[in-house]
Amino acid sequence: MKKLLIKNIKQLIQVRDNGDAVIAGEDMKMLPCINDAWLAIEGDKITDYGAMADFPGITDWSNIEVIDATGKLVFPSWCDAHTHIVFAGSRELEFVDRINGLTYEQIFERGGGILNSAKKLANATEDELIEQTLVRLRELQLNGTGAVEIKSGYGLSLDAELKILRVIKKLKEISPLTIKATFLGAHAVPSGISKEKYIDVVMNEMLPQIAAEKLADYCDVFCEKKYFTKEETVRILSAATTLGIKGKVHAEQLSHSAGVEAGVESDAISVDHLEFVTDNDIQLLQKSKTMPVILPGAQWFLQLQNPPARKMIDAGLPLAISTDYNPGSSPSGNMAFNLSIACVQYKLTPEEVINAATLNSAYAMGLLQSHGSITVGKKANLFITKEIPNYAFVPYSFATNLVEQIIINGNKI
Ligand code: NIG
Ligand code: FE
């Protein structure tokens, strides 16, 4: 088997003996690291690590490549647990409309927003979507992401939703990144059909076929005024759960719409966005296994109010960070920039944001056992930085790509 040894690592980040637990509350302030470290990889797995002072040396030199990481840091790859990157074209004209004073909601009411992307996607072939999405995946990879969740939701008809989910299935085969698929049929109600009828299509036509073809790992709903209510969200997620597909919720993004309640009641794996979370929601989350996920890029790009991230962690909750990469509210998949926003705007510490973007976001996409930390037996998905002083330099150097070498599935990319 092919072996890789990284030695003289200035700092090995997020080292966990077990790496099988989410990090919550006070514990998020701790980021276990080894200074002056080595890391061994065999095949696609991490097999050993330690301090250089205790390095046992190499006995068998066959099939081994050595990387010298003097002055550099090694991180487990970012886990991006929330994206919508299968989309056609882009929406920079709506960006300009917002600069000129329209709100995200007003653009949607004029038939723009999600409905604009649905129109564009209807005209794209599977091959075109694969080609466009591969470019985006490559961009994520270059910025240190090793696992990505991708949602449907720009189809809004049986055929188009299946088209997106089949594209994601192909991408799972083609891309070296670990990919999870989420069905988001309930992203918006398409024109020309009543909401009740569309929900019926989502629950009784789309979901059964998607489950039969095993096209989705999760089912998500946009719980928001003018989109789907709490009651509708619970109904859709319960249909999904019956088919063996766990829920996720787009919750409390533009207003308080009881999405957290819906998510917790449905035992969703995550509730995402959370700008309008209340104290009551925080209490509900405390009693649940549902991961709160913040999406700083979307909050920043739409200039929404800050999610009470500090308050959630101080209340003892775990917290995950992801990008929401999509053409409307977050046209970037740069995880490190999302960490910077969370530090600057929400007053999270570098330790907290790194825990949020690795182990906790791995949990939010069902990958806690295999991703998100430097742990023996976990996937060798990691990146080596340029020469930098310490890990705080990553969120500090906002919008700068400090990733120098990427390793995915044990392969240098
Ligand atoms: O997560 N809020 C709902 N969905 C996306 C935006 C979708 C779009 O504008 O295309 C989000 O922000
Ligand atoms: Fe989203």
Side-chain angles (χ1 to χ4, degrees):
M1 209 172 342
K2 203 169 70 72
K3 292 182 231 158
L4 202 57
L5 171 72
I6 312 175
K7 58 172 200 176
N8 298 325
I9 303 166
K10 181 170 186 172
Q11 206 170 32
L12 183 61
I13 312 293
Q14 188 64 301
V15 183
R16 304 269 176 180
D17 284 347
N18 299 313
D20 58 356
V22 303
I23 315 296
E26 274 292 302
D27 291 344
M28 287 192 70
K29 292 194 172 61
M30 270 141 25
L31 183 66
C33 299
I34 303 177
N35 293 333
D36 196 16
W38 59 276
L39 174 75
I41 294 166
E42 262 185 64
D44 66 348
K45 299 270 183 346
I46 296 169
T47 51
D48 209 352
Y49 57 78
M52 283 307 290
D54 307 321
F55 184 56
I58 300 169
T59 39
D60 177 9
W61 280 92
S62 57
N63 243 336
I64 191 163
E65 181 178 350
V66 180
I67 300 177
D68 188 335
T70 301
K72 301 167 186 180
L73 276 49
V74 172
F75 280 75
S77 298
W78 308 126
C79 294
D80 191 345
H82 185 137
T83 81
H84 309 243
I85 56 170
V86 179
F87 59 87
S90 54
R91 301 207 324 250
E92 64 287 343
L93 295 181
E94 293 180 2
F95 168 62
V96 177
D97 286 340
R98 284 198 296 109
I99 295 170
N100 290 323
L102 285 185
T103 64
Y104 183 75
E105 289 97 320
Q106 285 166 335
I107 290 168
F108 177 71
E109 278 155 22
R110 297 200 316 188
I114 296 166
L115 298 179
N116 182 0
S117 282
K119 262 178 248 150
K120 290 187 157 81
L121 187 129
N123 297 317
T125 65
E126 277 190 31
D127 284 347
E128 284 163 352
L129 290 171
I130 289 174
E131 199 182 314
Q132 290 188 31
T133 310
L134 277 174
V135 174
R136 294 174 196 129
L137 283 171
R138 172 107 189 116
E139 175 194 322
L140 296 185
Q141 193 176 301
L142 289 173
N143 280 284
T145 297
V148 58
E149 180 259 18
I150 310 178
K151 301 174 195 298
S152 68
Y154 293 126
L156 309 181
S157 70
L158 176 63
D159 286 350
E161 285 294 312
L162 287 173
K163 175 165 77 175
I164 303 178
L165 290 167
R166 287 181 186 136
V167 163
I168 301 174
K169 187 177 178 181
K170 292 224 177 84
L171 292 167
K172 285 185 180 185
E173 291 156 19
I174 304 170
S175 168
L177 298 178
T178 306
I179 294 175
K180 290 279 185 168
T182 297
F183 167 57
L184 177 58
H187 197 192
V189 180
S191 47
I193 180 170
S194 73
K195 180 147 89 163
E196 235 353 270
K197 178 69 191 130
Y198 184 62
I199 292 174
D200 183 60
V201 171
V202 167
M203 288 173 52
N204 300 315
E205 292 179 33
M206 295 183 184
L207 266 172
Q209 179 141 4
I210 287 161
E213 286 189 44
K214 293 196 178 18
L215 288 172
D217 302 297
Y218 298 101
C219 175
D220 196 345
V221 177
F222 187 16
C223 184
E224 185 65 58
K225 290 193 185 78
K226 303 204 180 83
Y227 295 81
F228 298 90
T229 65
K230 177 197 160 182
E231 182 274 323
E232 290 157 354
T233 304
V234 170
R235 221 168 358 122
I236 293 165
L237 294 188
S238 135
T241 309
T242 308
L243 292 164
I245 304 173
K246 218 170 160 62
K248 280 178 166 274
V249 183
H250 274 70
E252 331 301 357
Q253 180 188 17
L254 308 172
S255 67
H256 187 267
S257 303
V260 168
E261 283 175 39
V264 170
E265 279 175 32
S266 310
D267 192 26
I269 192 157
S270 74
V271 285
D272 305 23
H273 282 290
L274 309 179
E275 281 78 354
F276 288 85
V277 148
T278 62
D279 290 350
N280 184 51
D281 294 329
I282 292 178
Q283 282 171 18
L284 291 173
L285 285 165
Q286 283 168 334
K287 288 176 239 141
S288 78
K289 290 200 161 64
T290 300
M291 176 65 71
V293 180
I294 54 168
L295 306 165
Q299 178 275 320
W300 175 79
F301 194 66
L302 296 186
Q303 289 288 288
L304 303 169
Q305 68 181 45
N306 290 344
R310 182 72 274 144
K311 198 173 188 180
M312 288 191 272
I313 295 178
D314 292 346
L317 289 179
L319 193 72
I321 293 180
S322 294
T323 68
D324 200 17
Y325 191 175
N326 76 75
S329 65
S330 180
S332 160
N334 186 327
M335 283 291 283
F337 183 51
N338 278 265
L339 271 56
S340 301
I341 299 173
C343 288
V344 173
Q345 295 197 165
Y346 318 155
K347 309 288 179 224
L348 302 193
T349 65
E351 293 80 7
E352 287 172 328
V353 295
I354 293 168
N355 280 316
T358 52
L359 277 173
N360 286 354
S361 50
Y363 175 88
M365 56 194 298
L367 291 176
L368 187 59
Q369 301 304 324
S370 54
H371 292 68
S373 61
I374 302 295
T375 300
V376 171
K378 280 201 180 184
K379 262 240 170 341
N381 280 12
L382 43 104
F383 61 85
I384 307 173
T385 66
K386 297 178 178 156
E387 289 192 24
I388 59 174
N390 51 52
Y391 59 72
F393 197 82
V394 171
Y396 160 80
S397 315
F398 74 89
T400 309
N401 189 0
L402 299 169
V403 174
E404 185 174 87
Q405 174 69 61
I406 299 147
I407 294 166
I408 301 280
N409 302 326
N411 296 315
K412 272 171 70 187
I413 306 272

